[in-house]
Amino acid sequence: GAVVSQHPSWVICKSGTSVKIECRSLDFQATTMFWYRQFPKQSLMLMATSNEGSKATYEQGVEKDKFLINHASLTLSTLTVTSAHPEDSSFYICSANVGDSNQPQHFGDGTRLSIL
Amino acid sequence: RKEVEQDPGPFNVPEGATVAFNCTYSNSASQSFFWYRQDCRKEPKLLMSVYSSGNEDGRFTAQLNRASQYISLLIRDSKLSDSATYLCALSGSARQLTFGSGTQLTVLP
């Protein structure tokens, strides 16, 4: 089946550091990928929709200058958390569709980000 | 009002029990519905899609009621390995998923 690979799995870094997370579709092309964030004991919240070759669409309340998204190819989207602070510590997960909107999304393994 | 409402639980049930989860949604234009399972500190994994006619996969039965705008998941003969958080999710034409808050299930020996 379709596989989405996310890297890295864990990141621990100091406050003020910028962190890049990669999301790859391994055996299919994804013109659209999605980035979610999950805080402890809460559900997944959509942050932004990443569109290949164009600007990402951000959800209300998500700072586009803080969370930079680049989707330069049909198999790779990156999320960069710029100047990360402790409140950015969370579980970040990407996903992608294979086929039309009726098909379920496939999720990456997630990245656990801890900012000290 | 949240777009998707889900009872957070927790549900603690003995092995072999039948347990049901429900979600209600507010956007009648929602097109696709899913149940995901999420283990602690892991990504969500698709359990099953939900169709209007209802669908079954082994011990799991999912149903969709568009008129009342709710979806349900029934787990029969629950196993210890069923312990997880169960998330309902729906999507519209834009494809992005909106998740419920998740229901935590613990199956006890």
Side-chain angles (χ1 to χ4, degrees):
Chain A
V3 177
V4 176
S5 173
Q6 192 171 336
H7 177 82
S9 301
W10 287 83
V11 180
I12 301 174
C13 57
K14 293 180 180 179
S15 184
T17 307
S18 291
V19 179
K20 180 186 281 189
I21 304 170
E22 293 187 347
C23 181
R24 293 181 185 273
S25 56
L26 294 187
D27 50 1
F28 66 100
Q29 294 182 331
T31 55
T32 303
M33 290 183 175
F34 305 95
W35 287 96
Y36 297 84
R37 180 169 54 183
Q38 186 177 33
F39 291 107
K41 298 192 182 298
Q42 295 186 25
S43 191
L44 287 84
M45 297 297 293
L46 179 68
M47 298 176 66
T49 302
S50 173
N51 304 299
E52 187 268 334
S54 65
K55 291 183 179 180
T57 305
Y58 289 82
E59 295 300 300
Q60 191 173 11
V62 178
E63 300 175 55
K64 62 180 181 180
D65 295 329
K66 170 79 172 177
F67 299 99
L68 301 179
I69 291 173
N70 185 280
H71 195 151
S73 78
L74 287 171
T75 58
L76 174 64
S77 175
T78 60
L79 168 68
T80 301
V81 184
T82 61
S83 186
H85 289 94
E87 59 266 27
D88 298 321
S89 299
S90 188
F91 190 44
Y92 292 85
I93 315 174
C94 67
S95 73
N97 267 109
V98 179
D100 60 32
S101 60
N102 292 321
Q103 300 303 312
Q105 291 182 18
H106 297 270
F107 285 84
D109 293 340
T111 297
R112 195 159 298 280
L113 176 62
S114 295
I115 307 298
L116 306 176
Chain B
R1 182 186 172 190
K2 287 184 180 177
E3 195 168 340
V4 182
E5 298 272 5
Q6 183 176 4
D7 182 349
F11 283 45
N12 298 317
V13 303
E15 263 188 296
T18 296
V19 61
F21 307 131
N22 294 308
C23 282
T24 57
Y25 61 95
S26 58
N27 186 352
S28 59
S30 301
Q31 296 180 356
S32 303
F33 305 86
F34 309 96
W35 282 100
Y36 283 82
R37 169 195 169 128
Q38 186 176 27
D39 292 291
C40 188
R41 303 172 83 83
K42 297 282 190 181
E43 79 282 10
K45 292 191 184 296
L46 179 69
L47 186 62
M48 56 200 305
S49 300
V50 189
Y51 304 115
S52 297
S53 54
N55 47 303
E56 187 174 308
D57 182 3
R59 298 182 293 109
F60 299 86
T61 301
Q63 290 194 314
L64 164 64
N65 186 316
R66 286 190 183 271
S68 302
Q69 295 183 198
Y70 78 83
I71 62 172
S72 64
L73 176 69
L74 185 76
I75 305 176
R76 291 181 300 278
D77 188 24
S78 52
K79 313 289 185 191
L80 295 177
S81 57
D82 293 334
S83 297
T85 297
Y86 291 83
L87 299 151
C88 59
L90 50 88
S91 68
S93 58
R95 298 189 179 190
Q96 67 261 38
L97 287 172
T98 301
F99 285 90
S101 56
T103 301
Q104 186 180 337
L105 171 68
T106 302
V107 181
L108 304 169

